[in-house]
Structure formats: C-alpha cells, structure tokens
Amino acid sequence: MREGYEARRQSYEEMRNYHRCDPEHSNVWRINTLSGSDRIHICQKPDGILARIIRVSCRPGGVVLDPFMGSGSTGVACAHEKRSFIGIERDDRYFQPATDAIQRAYNQGVLDLWQ
C-alpha cells in the first residue's frame, strides 16, 4: 500500500502549489515606483514587483497567464525570470506597445524597461 501511495504522490508533485521564499521575504516590499512619464498604461505595475511575484510563485520554466496584459509588464518580468508568457489584451492602444516591449525583453534577455 505504501508503494502505491508513493507512486501516486510523485505523479502529483508537479501540480502542487509552488511558493518559494526569497531572501527579501517579508510583509513589506520596497520596490521603485513608476513616474507618470514612464507609464504606458494607467494601472501599470513596476516590473520589479511582478518579477518577484513570478519568482516566488511560478516554477522555473513555468508558464504565466495574464488575461489583462495592459502595458506588458508581466511579460517583461517573465522574460527576466525565464518563464513563458501568455498575455491577452483587447485594447489595441496597449496591445502593440506591450507586444513590442515583451518581444524586446525576450530577445535581449534581462531587461528592465520601466526602472
């Protein structure tokens, strides 16, 4: 019975919730903010925050889905953290600039566009 349990446990191991504490783990995060002239989208987040969230909550090589892509900050953070990215944005004003920023980040490797 133990062997059956162990085999089943290992088959589900990859589907478990992933959370890894980083060296800066605390309830307060100190991240540089964006100035008004650096923003593409009204709700744009600094890619440093998104990179940290991705780093601690997505397995290396994993895939991140952002159904409200906006300026593409999540996609840029995924490029920085070496994760795959799927983004959805319905507003054409944001889609092309976001796509361009994400493509540049994946082409150049590590890139901080908004800091």
Side-chain angles (χ1 to χ4, degrees), residues 19-29 52 55-56 81:
H19 179 80
R20 183 179 63 103
C21 294
D22 62 2
E24 303 163 2
H25 188 74
S26 73
N27 291 334
V28 178
W29 293 8
R52 184 163 179 214
R55 186 171 50 251
V56 301
E81 296 300 321

PDB file of all heavy atoms in Angstrom, residues 19-29 52 55-56 81:
ATOM      1  N   HIS A  19       5.491  27.762  -3.921  1.00  0.00           N
ATOM      2  CA  HIS A  19       5.833  29.026  -3.271  1.00  0.00           C
ATOM      3  C   HIS A  19       7.220  28.877  -2.668  1.00  0.00           C
ATOM      4  O   HIS A  19       7.498  27.939  -1.941  1.00  0.00           O
ATOM      5  CB  HIS A  19       4.856  29.403  -2.164  1.00  0.00           C
ATOM      6  CG  HIS A  19       5.239  30.691  -1.506  1.00  0.00           C
ATOM      7  ND1 HIS A  19       4.956  31.911  -2.072  1.00  0.00           N
ATOM      8  CD2 HIS A  19       5.907  30.956  -0.371  1.00  0.00           C
ATOM      9  CE1 HIS A  19       5.438  32.865  -1.298  1.00  0.00           C
ATOM     10  NE2 HIS A  19       6.020  32.310  -0.253  1.00  0.00           N
ATOM     11  N   ARG A  20       8.072  29.792  -3.022  1.00  0.00           N
ATOM     12  CA  ARG A  20       9.448  29.753  -2.550  1.00  0.00           C
ATOM     13  C   ARG A  20       9.773  31.107  -1.951  1.00  0.00           C
ATOM     14  O   ARG A  20       9.608  32.140  -2.586  1.00  0.00           O
ATOM     15  CB  ARG A  20      10.375  29.474  -3.747  1.00  0.00           C
ATOM     16  CG  ARG A  20      11.821  29.344  -3.398  1.00  0.00           C
ATOM     17  CD  ARG A  20      12.602  29.042  -4.656  1.00  0.00           C
ATOM     18  NE  ARG A  20      12.504  30.141  -5.598  1.00  0.00           N
ATOM     19  CZ  ARG A  20      13.463  31.028  -5.820  1.00  0.00           C
ATOM     20  NH1 ARG A  20      14.599  30.938  -5.198  1.00  0.00           N
ATOM     21  NH2 ARG A  20      13.296  31.985  -6.694  1.00  0.00           N
ATOM     22  N   CYS A  21      10.210  31.133  -0.721  1.00  0.00           N
ATOM     23  CA  CYS A  21      10.603  32.389  -0.080  1.00  0.00           C
ATOM     24  C   CYS A  21      11.928  32.841  -0.670  1.00  0.00           C
ATOM     25  O   CYS A  21      12.837  32.047  -0.860  1.00  0.00           O
ATOM     26  CB  CYS A  21      10.741  32.211   1.429  1.00  0.00           C
ATOM     27  SG  CYS A  21       9.178  31.854   2.236  1.00  0.00           S
ATOM     28  N   ASP A  22      12.015  34.131  -0.965  1.00  0.00           N
ATOM     29  CA  ASP A  22      13.275  34.675  -1.457  1.00  0.00           C
ATOM     30  C   ASP A  22      13.989  35.394  -0.313  1.00  0.00           C
ATOM     31  O   ASP A  22      13.442  35.532   0.779  1.00  0.00           O
ATOM     32  CB  ASP A  22      13.051  35.583  -2.668  1.00  0.00           C
ATOM     33  CG  ASP A  22      12.203  36.805  -2.371  1.00  0.00           C
ATOM     34  OD1 ASP A  22      11.798  37.002  -1.214  1.00  0.00           O
ATOM     35  OD2 ASP A  22      11.956  37.577  -3.297  1.00  0.00           O
ATOM     36  N   PRO A  23      15.221  35.852  -0.530  1.00  0.00           N
ATOM     37  CA  PRO A  23      15.976  36.494   0.564  1.00  0.00           C
ATOM     38  C   PRO A  23      15.309  37.751   1.125  1.00  0.00           C
ATOM     39  O   PRO A  23      15.563  38.133   2.256  1.00  0.00           O
ATOM     40  CB  PRO A  23      17.314  36.852  -0.089  1.00  0.00           C
ATOM     41  CG  PRO A  23      17.441  35.945  -1.246  1.00  0.00           C
ATOM     42  CD  PRO A  23      16.042  35.673  -1.724  1.00  0.00           C
ATOM     43  N   GLU A  24      14.436  38.379   0.341  1.00  0.00           N
ATOM     44  CA  GLU A  24      13.773  39.603   0.778  1.00  0.00           C
ATOM     45  C   GLU A  24      12.404  39.323   1.386  1.00  0.00           C
ATOM     46  O   GLU A  24      11.592  40.226   1.530  1.00  0.00           O
ATOM     47  CB  GLU A  24      13.610  40.532  -0.421  1.00  0.00           C
ATOM     48  CG  GLU A  24      14.915  40.855  -1.104  1.00  0.00           C
ATOM     49  CD  GLU A  24      14.690  41.412  -2.500  1.00  0.00           C
ATOM     50  OE1 GLU A  24      13.532  41.580  -2.913  1.00  0.00           O
ATOM     51  OE2 GLU A  24      15.677  41.675  -3.174  1.00  0.00           O
ATOM     52  N   HIS A  25      12.117  38.073   1.744  1.00  0.00           N
ATOM     53  CA  HIS A  25      10.790  37.682   2.208  1.00  0.00           C
ATOM     54  C   HIS A  25      10.375  38.476   3.448  1.00  0.00           C
ATOM     55  O   HIS A  25      11.052  38.455   4.471  1.00  0.00           O
ATOM     56  CB  HIS A  25      10.762  36.191   2.519  1.00  0.00           C
ATOM     57  CG  HIS A  25       9.393  35.680   2.817  1.00  0.00           C
ATOM     58  ND1 HIS A  25       8.457  35.510   1.836  1.00  0.00           N
ATOM     59  CD2 HIS A  25       8.802  35.344   3.982  1.00  0.00           C
ATOM     60  CE1 HIS A  25       7.339  35.072   2.384  1.00  0.00           C
ATOM     61  NE2 HIS A  25       7.532  34.952   3.686  1.00  0.00           N
ATOM     62  N   SER A  26       9.281  39.208   3.318  1.00  0.00           N
ATOM     63  CA  SER A  26       8.683  39.957   4.429  1.00  0.00           C
ATOM     64  C   SER A  26       7.310  40.432   3.983  1.00  0.00           C
ATOM     65  O   SER A  26       6.910  40.216   2.837  1.00  0.00           O
ATOM     66  CB  SER A  26       9.548  41.157   4.816  1.00  0.00           C
ATOM     67  OG  SER A  26       9.449  42.162   3.838  1.00  0.00           O
ATOM     68  N   ASN A  27       6.614  41.092   4.861  1.00  0.00           N
ATOM     69  CA  ASN A  27       5.301  41.633   4.527  1.00  0.00           C
ATOM     70  C   ASN A  27       5.390  42.989   3.836  1.00  0.00           C
ATOM     71  O   ASN A  27       4.399  43.488   3.331  1.00  0.00           O
ATOM     72  CB  ASN A  27       4.449  41.771   5.784  1.00  0.00           C
ATOM     73  CG  ASN A  27       4.058  40.431   6.342  1.00  0.00           C
ATOM     74  OD1 ASN A  27       3.984  39.448   5.607  1.00  0.00           O
ATOM     75  ND2 ASN A  27       3.821  40.370   7.636  1.00  0.00           N
ATOM     76  N   VAL A  28       6.555  43.604   3.837  1.00  0.00           N
ATOM     77  CA  VAL A  28       6.742  44.910   3.220  1.00  0.00           C
ATOM     78  C   VAL A  28       7.760  44.773   2.100  1.00  0.00           C
ATOM     79  O   VAL A  28       8.869  44.300   2.318  1.00  0.00           O
ATOM     80  CB  VAL A  28       7.244  45.952   4.252  1.00  0.00           C
ATOM     81  CG1 VAL A  28       7.474  47.289   3.584  1.00  0.00           C
ATOM     82  CG2 VAL A  28       6.260  46.079   5.398  1.00  0.00           C
ATOM     83  N   TRP A  29       7.356  45.165   0.908  1.00  0.00           N
ATOM     84  CA  TRP A  29       8.248  45.102  -0.248  1.00  0.00           C
ATOM     85  C   TRP A  29       8.664  46.508  -0.625  1.00  0.00           C
ATOM     86  O   TRP A  29       7.830  47.394  -0.756  1.00  0.00           O
ATOM     87  CB  TRP A  29       7.553  44.468  -1.435  1.00  0.00           C
ATOM     88  CG  TRP A  29       7.235  43.021  -1.253  1.00  0.00           C
ATOM     89  CD1 TRP A  29       7.354  42.269  -0.122  1.00  0.00           C
ATOM     90  CD2 TRP A  29       6.719  42.150  -2.251  1.00  0.00           C
ATOM     91  NE1 TRP A  29       6.953  40.993  -0.360  1.00  0.00           N
ATOM     92  CE2 TRP A  29       6.559  40.881  -1.654  1.00  0.00           C
ATOM     93  CE3 TRP A  29       6.385  42.315  -3.575  1.00  0.00           C
ATOM     94  CZ2 TRP A  29       6.074  39.785  -2.357  1.00  0.00           C
ATOM     95  CZ3 TRP A  29       5.908  41.223  -4.271  1.00  0.00           C
ATOM     96  CH2 TRP A  29       5.763  39.976  -3.659  1.00  0.00           C
ATOM     97  N   ARG A  52       9.242  39.595  -8.887  1.00  0.00           N
ATOM     98  CA  ARG A  52       9.348  38.922  -7.583  1.00  0.00           C
ATOM     99  C   ARG A  52       8.173  37.978  -7.356  1.00  0.00           C
ATOM    100  O   ARG A  52       8.346  36.857  -6.873  1.00  0.00           O
ATOM    101  CB  ARG A  52       9.414  39.955  -6.470  1.00  0.00           C
ATOM    102  CG  ARG A  52       9.609  39.307  -5.134  1.00  0.00           C
ATOM    103  CD  ARG A  52      10.071  40.277  -4.101  1.00  0.00           C
ATOM    104  NE  ARG A  52      10.203  39.575  -2.837  1.00  0.00           N
ATOM    105  CZ  ARG A  52       9.966  40.116  -1.672  1.00  0.00           C
ATOM    106  NH1 ARG A  52       9.641  41.384  -1.591  1.00  0.00           N
ATOM    107  NH2 ARG A  52      10.091  39.414  -0.580  1.00  0.00           N
ATOM    108  N   ARG A  55       8.794  34.992  -9.498  1.00  0.00           N
ATOM    109  CA  ARG A  55       9.926  34.206  -8.992  1.00  0.00           C
ATOM    110  C   ARG A  55       9.519  33.308  -7.830  1.00  0.00           C
ATOM    111  O   ARG A  55       9.953  32.165  -7.737  1.00  0.00           O
ATOM    112  CB  ARG A  55      11.062  35.141  -8.585  1.00  0.00           C
ATOM    113  CG  ARG A  55      12.337  34.461  -8.188  1.00  0.00           C
ATOM    114  CD  ARG A  55      13.498  35.441  -8.001  1.00  0.00           C
ATOM    115  NE  ARG A  55      13.198  36.573  -7.161  1.00  0.00           N
ATOM    116  CZ  ARG A  55      13.051  37.838  -7.596  1.00  0.00           C
ATOM    117  NH1 ARG A  55      13.178  38.144  -8.869  1.00  0.00           N
ATOM    118  NH2 ARG A  55      12.782  38.810  -6.739  1.00  0.00           N
ATOM    119  N   VAL A  56       8.675  33.817  -6.930  1.00  0.00           N
ATOM    120  CA  VAL A  56       8.326  33.031  -5.746  1.00  0.00           C
ATOM    121  C   VAL A  56       7.092  32.153  -5.938  1.00  0.00           C
ATOM    122  O   VAL A  56       6.831  31.288  -5.118  1.00  0.00           O
ATOM    123  CB  VAL A  56       8.145  33.915  -4.484  1.00  0.00           C
ATOM    124  CG1 VAL A  56       9.414  34.688  -4.182  1.00  0.00           C
ATOM    125  CG2 VAL A  56       6.949  34.825  -4.602  1.00  0.00           C
ATOM    126  N   GLU A  81      12.650  36.544 -15.641  1.00  0.00           N
ATOM    127  CA  GLU A  81      12.693  35.382 -14.752  1.00  0.00           C
ATOM    128  C   GLU A  81      12.725  34.048 -15.498  1.00  0.00           C
ATOM    129  O   GLU A  81      12.611  32.993 -14.891  1.00  0.00           O
ATOM    130  CB  GLU A  81      11.494  35.408 -13.792  1.00  0.00           C
ATOM    131  CG  GLU A  81      11.497  36.585 -12.855  1.00  0.00           C
ATOM    132  CD  GLU A  81      12.734  36.618 -11.980  1.00  0.00           C
ATOM    133  OE1 GLU A  81      13.187  35.553 -11.522  1.00  0.00           O
ATOM    134  OE2 GLU A  81      13.255  37.731 -11.750  1.00  0.00           O
TER     135      GLU A  81
END
